[in-house]
Amino acid sequence: MNAPENAFVSRTASRSERLRQMLTSNELEFLMEAHNGLSARIAREAGFKAIWGSGLAISAQYGVRDNNEASWTQVVDTLEFMADASDLPILLDGDTGYGNFNNVRRLVRKLEQRGIAGVCIEDKQFPKTNSFINGERQPLAEVDEFCGKIKAGKDSQTDANFSIVARVEALIAGWGMDEALRRAEAYRQAGADAILIHSKLSRPDEILEFAREWAGRGPLVIVPTKYYSTPTDVFREAGISTVIWANHLIRASTSAMQAVARTIHSSQTLVDVEDRIAPVNEIFRLQDADEYSEAENRYLSNSRTSASAVVLAASRGAGLEALTAERPKVMLPIAGKPLLRWLVDAFKKQGVNDITVVGGYRADAIDTAGIKLVVNERHEQTGELGSLACAVDALQGDTVVSYGDLLFRSYILRDLVESEAAFSVVVDSSLTEPDNSSVKDFAWCSAADDRGLFGNKVLLRRVSNDVQGDGKEQPNGRWVGLLNVRGEGRERLQAVLGTLRARPDFDSLDMPALLNALVEAGEQVEVQYVHGHWRGVNDLDDFRRAGDFAHTQTPFSAEGAANGAAR
Ligand code: SPV
Ligand code: MG
């Protein structure tokens, strides 16, 4: 008796080693059927030590018959998903080996390459039929021919632990006990690592008789699908090595799917089934979704795909009342599409896909396609920072904070999101141009815009709508309304915002107050100078001119269409 050494099979042993140890152990062992990655994982979680890759179940999950209708490569591809989803050894039900000795050789090599622990081949003729369908009319293989397949398989394996189980169908085909024993002995001598003796009777009598006559000449495997009411101890006492629960996961899922499909179809609602089926989170867990999220943090943390934006869009638009009775300023059409859509498209073009828009006035009229909308219910009493505070939860990865009433050339946003600085802002140095004269966010910086400066760091000193500022110095430009917050800058911005929130005048504060508070808190806010190439939409004149600017952003082929829409 070598039970003590085999009772513990190390998880670090290879899969083929573990299957071989199960076959040769003196314990009764069990294989559970699985037919895809999900069921393989479920079998492992239930505690099984190995899996039966059932031909019946794999065919059935494809919706085809157990007559080799699925090709052997389709079966092997399915096994690959199973082996990836579960670290258990898999014994493939390889039917007849899908051809002659040569097909068995290739099958064994391919199974080894995919980490499959063994294959069971049966002594029928290709294409086979399931043993429970007209068994007596199923032709058996010649004994010598089948022994050749076993030998070919054993000779072609490179892993000494890969197991070949020979399945005797003589009892199924009605050829009697003597023939079954004669075949089993021939297969053992040909090199089979175990014999699977199959029966379709509802009682185990012929299996037990076979086991008695076999007298421990080698491991015996059984499939008690038909004699299921036999107590398992009977198999133990008969010296059976391994029991295969051959089709119970495909049958369980079939019953569940039938019941749920019928219920949803007849009730036309999900309410009767929701609490009776696996929650979506359970599916995510079985797919190991958490591992993906961790890997995403590890490998995608600097990627622009994780970037987000907060768009401040709560205002009606001073000076635009005539146009904004029914909608907020951001929903005004510019060259055929709402201002907000121009902005959202511009963000998406730069891979900034997680966009939160803070609405206020007529937030109900905001088109929410592709964005998340949060509403500043107190928009009439608060300034811009009151709106930004509503989106504080949206500040997660790298974030661009933007006014909602902006149009700009795409390079402006591209350069901003590519900045490595914790804080960076766009400042337009074209102070004397008539465009954007309505924008009052004057910016004072550490240096004026100068081509000679290109590549040097310029820092923001202050933003104010008082062009005189606190001294004689002329401003260096206008803040465009774009702030990029990167990496640890996010938490520092949240801290500064938290401090401002505690002030009694918080409701009156705007974005420049936040920029100034960041600078006062010692943060370096880097300036990216531009010279035009953007529009703020602050009054009726801006609105009229914005259409022309928007057309410069329209693809040539679409320009005609956009013009048409604007007319
Ligand atoms: C299978 O699971 O496909 C088998 C076992 O071969 S049986 O269906 O019982 O033949
Ligand atoms: Mg089968």
Side-chain angles (χ1 to χ4, degrees):
M1 293 286 280
N2 59 354
E5 29 180 293
N6 280 334
F8 173 74
V9 177
S10 160
R11 271 280 160 121
T12 57
S14 73
R15 303 196 213 214
S16 56
E17 209 175 334
R18 282 181 272 155
L19 177 65
R20 180 64 67 77
Q21 290 194 33
M22 287 173 72
L23 290 172
T24 55
S25 93
N26 287 339
E27 299 289 309
L28 183 65
E29 306 279 5
F30 303 92
L31 304 189
M32 174 47 101
E33 169 260 313
H35 49 270
N36 56 23
L38 189 72
S39 54
R41 183 157 288 205
I42 287 170
R44 185 193 65 175
E45 287 194 349
F48 284 99
K49 286 158 59 181
I51 285 172
W52 170 243
S54 159
L56 170 65
I58 291 173
S59 307
Q61 60 86 41
Y62 280 128
V64 299
R65 290 168 287 213
D66 190 12
N67 292 73
N68 300 116
E69 290 187 344
S71 72
W72 74 272
T73 54
Q74 287 170 326
V75 171
V76 172
D77 284 346
T78 306
L79 289 181
E80 188 170 38
F81 280 100
M82 292 164 60
D84 285 346
S86 155
D87 57 2
L88 296 186
I90 299 174
L91 175 65
L92 169 64
D93 170 7
D95 294 341
T96 59
Y98 312 112
N100 70 6
F101 75 93
N102 191 45
N103 301 86
V104 172
R105 294 197 299 188
R106 187 163 169 79
L107 176 66
V108 167
R109 283 200 300 274
K110 292 292 140 187
L111 292 178
E112 283 191 336
Q113 285 166 8
R114 287 180 194 202
I116 306 307
V119 64
C120 174
I121 51 174
E122 64 196 54
D123 56 356
K124 288 204 298 238
Q125 292 183 20
F126 178 87
K128 52 69 62 82
T129 293
N130 187 276
S131 304
F132 300 141
I133 301 174
N134 291 333
E136 265 125 56
R137 297 222 312 266
Q138 297 187 20
L140 295 190
E142 294 294 330
V143 174
D144 288 346
E145 193 253 325
F146 193 69
C147 287
K149 279 188 189 174
I150 296 170
K151 283 192 193 124
K154 290 308 290 178
D155 286 347
S156 60
Q157 71 186 61
T158 55
D159 170 2
N161 285 307
F162 186 88
S163 293
I164 296 188
V165 177
R167 166 164 159 178
V168 176
E169 289 282 288
L171 300 178
I172 296 284
W175 290 37
M177 187 60 66
D178 287 348
E179 178 68 10
L181 285 162
R182 188 174 77 84
R183 283 175 174 255
E185 178 59 18
Y187 304 160
R188 185 182 74 82
Q189 289 189 18
D193 298 292
I195 299 295
L196 189 158
I197 181 68
H198 204 13
S199 166
K200 59 184 176 184
L201 302 185
S202 56
R203 295 186 46 79
D205 302 6
E206 62 183 8
I207 291 298
L208 298 178
E209 185 186 341
F210 182 95
R212 260 194 314 277
E213 299 288 333
W214 183 249
R217 275 176 270 170
L220 276 190
V221 180
I222 61 169
V223 183
T225 303
K226 291 288 180 182
Y227 46 100
Y228 64 88
S229 58
T230 311
T232 301
D233 272 344
V234 171
F235 306 141
R236 222 172 244 120
E237 279 153 28
I240 301 296
S241 153
T242 302
V243 171
I244 296 176
W245 310 125
N247 45 43
H248 300 80
L249 295 190
I250 191 85
R251 287 165 59 193
S253 55
T254 299
S255 306
M257 288 192 283
Q258 285 170 329
V260 169
R262 269 194 233 111
T263 305
I264 295 176
H265 179 257
S266 62
S267 64
Q268 300 192 342
T269 168
L270 302 176
V271 74
D272 299 327
V273 303
E274 179 60 28
D275 294 337
R276 305 182 63 191
I277 59 180
V280 175
N281 278 343
E282 175 61 1
I283 305 298
F284 293 156
R285 189 190 67 76
L286 286 162
Q287 291 169 311
D288 221 352
D290 283 352
E291 192 281 334
Y292 177 83
S293 304
E294 277 165 33
E296 197 174 38
N297 290 340
R298 212 171 322 130
Y299 301 122
L300 284 179
S301 58
N302 292 323
S303 156
R304 286 193 277 129
T305 55
S306 65
S308 57
V310 172
V311 177
L312 303 176
S315 81
R316 176 171 184 174
L320 290 164
E321 284 81 358
L323 300 172
T324 53
E326 304 292 332
R327 56 194 160 192
K329 176 160 69 166
V330 293
M331 289 307 291
L332 287 177
I334 308 282
K337 69 178 177 183
L339 190 46
L340 180 64
R341 193 54 38 200
W342 285 100
L343 198 54
V344 168
D345 290 349
F347 278 122
K348 299 223 158 169
K349 189 170 168 189
Q350 301 306 327
V352 179
N353 293 311
D354 181 3
I355 301 168
T356 301
V357 174
V358 187
Y361 173 74
R362 291 305 310 261
D364 57 304
I366 290 180
D367 168 12
T368 56
I371 61 155
K372 283 182 230 146
L373 178 67
V374 296
V375 179
N376 176 9
E377 302 290 354
R378 295 181 58 249
H379 64 95
E380 283 182 13
Q381 290 93 55
T382 75
E384 290 152 7
L385 291 196
S387 289
L388 182 62
C390 294
V392 92
D393 292 342
L395 300 171
Q396 291 198 341
D398 299 343
T399 305
V400 181
V401 181
S402 167
Y403 283 158
D405 52 8
L406 283 183
L407 292 169
F408 44 75
R409 293 270 178 92
S410 58
Y411 77 87
I412 293 181
L413 183 63
R414 183 202 62 201
D415 292 353
L416 186 72
V417 296
E418 283 180 0
S419 163
E420 297 291 329
F423 301 101
S424 45
V425 290
V426 181
V427 170
D428 179 10
S429 61
S430 61
L431 273 172
T432 54
E433 306 282 329
D435 296 332
N436 291 317
S437 55
S438 67
V439 175
K440 301 293 181 223
D441 292 334
F442 297 108
W444 284 263
C445 308
S446 63
D449 189 12
D450 175 344
R451 295 213 169 173
L453 271 177
F454 191 79
N456 286 346
K457 199 150 83 172
V458 176
L459 299 180
L460 184 73
R461 286 205 186 128
R462 198 162 54 83
V463 177
S464 167
N465 60 18
D466 176 4
V467 75
Q468 293 303 318
D470 51 1
K472 295 104 218 133
E473 259 183 273
Q474 283 296 300
N476 302 106
R478 289 185 175 89
W479 178 53
V480 160
L482 287 168
L483 161 68
N484 190 46
V485 185
R486 193 176 176 110
E488 291 171 4
R490 175 176 54 89
E491 278 175 19
R492 307 210 297 261
L493 177 128
Q494 282 166 327
V496 168
L497 189 60
T499 312
L500 294 176
R501 270 177 112 165
R503 275 173 43 175
D505 62 345
F506 179 70
D507 276 353
S508 69
L509 298 181
D510 53 15
M511 280 298 293
L514 176 67
L515 296 177
N516 294 334
L518 283 168
V519 172
E520 280 157 28
E523 297 294 351
Q524 298 206 338
V525 180
E526 286 196 22
V527 170
Q528 176 192 314
Y529 275 124
V530 295
H531 204 80
H533 294 164
W534 69 287
R535 290 289 184 282
V537 182
N538 287 300
D539 56 25
L540 267 178
D541 279 347
D542 288 345
F543 175 60
R544 289 196 192 100
R545 285 196 301 251
D548 296 336
F549 180 80
H551 284 309
T552 66
Q553 305 289 97
T554 310
F556 288 115
S557 57
E559 203 164 340
N563 275 328
R567 264 182 231 123

